[in-house]
Amino acid sequence: IFSYRLKENFKISKAQHGDEFPVTQEEMISFFNDGVVIIEEFLKRKSSHFPKKNTELVGIEVKLNYNLPRDMKFNGYMDVVLHNTKTGRIKIIDIKTATHGWNKYMKADKNKTNQLLLYKKFFSKERDIPIDKIEVDVRETPKCLSQLIHPFVF
C-alpha cells in the first residue's frame, strides 16, 4: 500500500508542478528505500528505541518551527521524540543514513552534531521544557542497505 500510494502521489505532484517539482524519481526511490530500512531497523531494536515501561511516543517527524531574530525561522523535523513518564525526560532520536556508515570524522563534524543541539534548544523553548530534561541520541542506518534489501521501482 505504501509503495503504491507513494507512486501515485509522486505522479500527481509531478503532473501539478511539472519541471518545478523539487524531487526527482531517483530521489523518491532513495527516500522510500531509506524509509523502509529505517522502519525495519527500528522494529528490530524497538525495545532499545522504545522501552515499553514508562515511555510514551511524543511523535515521529515532529516539526520544529522556531522564530529567530530578524524575521528568520528555524524549520526542522525530529525523527523520533520520546517521553519518559517516570522521570519526565525527553529523548530526541535522530536517524542518520550514510552510504558507508558514519566514520569518526563524520561523528565529530560539528555541522552534523549541531543540528541536534538546535533541535534540543528550540524544542525546549517551544514546549517550555527545561533543557536539562532533554537528551539527544543519534542512530545510524547505512544507506547502502536500503538499496540492497528493498529495490523500489516506478
Side-chain angles (χ1 to χ4, degrees):
I1 293 174
F2 178 62
S3 64
Y4 171 78
R5 302 264 322 210
L6 187 67
K7 289 176 191 177
E8 291 304 307
N9 285 327
F10 180 81
K11 289 176 191 173
I12 291 167
S13 296
K14 191 72 174 168
Q16 286 176 342
H17 302 283
D19 291 338
E20 299 295 314
F21 190 58
V23 179
T24 67
Q25 183 172 327
E26 291 77 23
E27 289 171 325
M28 187 64 72
I29 290 168
S30 177
F31 297 154
F32 175 84
N33 290 336
D34 289 347
V36 169
V37 170
I38 288 169
I39 290 167
E40 286 179 348
E41 289 295 312
F42 195 86
L43 290 174
K44 274 196 264 181
R45 295 175 181 83
K46 65 184 169 192
S47 63
S48 69
H49 293 299
F50 192 73
K52 292 178 187 174
K53 194 171 185 177
N54 303 319
T55 303
E56 67 182 10
L57 177 66
V58 174
I60 297 171
E61 290 295 316
V62 176
K63 184 173 183 170
L64 279 174
N65 190 8
Y66 189 76
N67 292 321
L68 297 168
R70 299 184 188 165
D71 296 325
M72 293 189 302
K73 284 187 177 251
F74 176 87
N75 292 308
Y77 291 88
M78 297 176 289
D79 293 332
V80 180
V81 180
L82 305 174
H83 174 240
N84 184 310
T85 57
K86 187 174 182 180
T87 65
R89 295 190 62 76
I90 297 288
K91 180 184 275 191
I92 298 170
I93 300 173
D94 192 51
I95 302 169
K96 297 289 187 192
T97 56
T99 304
H100 300 292
W102 273 44
N103 60 34
K104 66 180 180 178
Y105 302 108
M106 290 175 78
K107 290 177 182 173
D109 183 347
K110 290 293 181 199
N111 289 324
K112 296 183 187 309
T113 56
N114 284 346
Q115 171 190 0
L116 288 175
L117 298 177
L118 290 173
Y119 285 171
K120 179 177 179 174
K121 179 177 182 168
F122 298 147
F123 190 72
S124 167
K125 290 185 177 287
E126 274 190 359
R127 305 284 177 110
D128 197 28
I129 300 168
I131 199 161
D132 62 338
K133 289 275 193 183
I134 302 173
E135 63 184 279
V136 294
D137 188 11
V138 176
R139 305 290 168 100
E140 178 186 344
T141 301
K143 189 174 188 171
C144 56
L145 288 177
S146 65
Q147 295 162 357
L148 297 173
I149 298 173
H150 290 280
F152 173 75
V153 250
F154 273 83

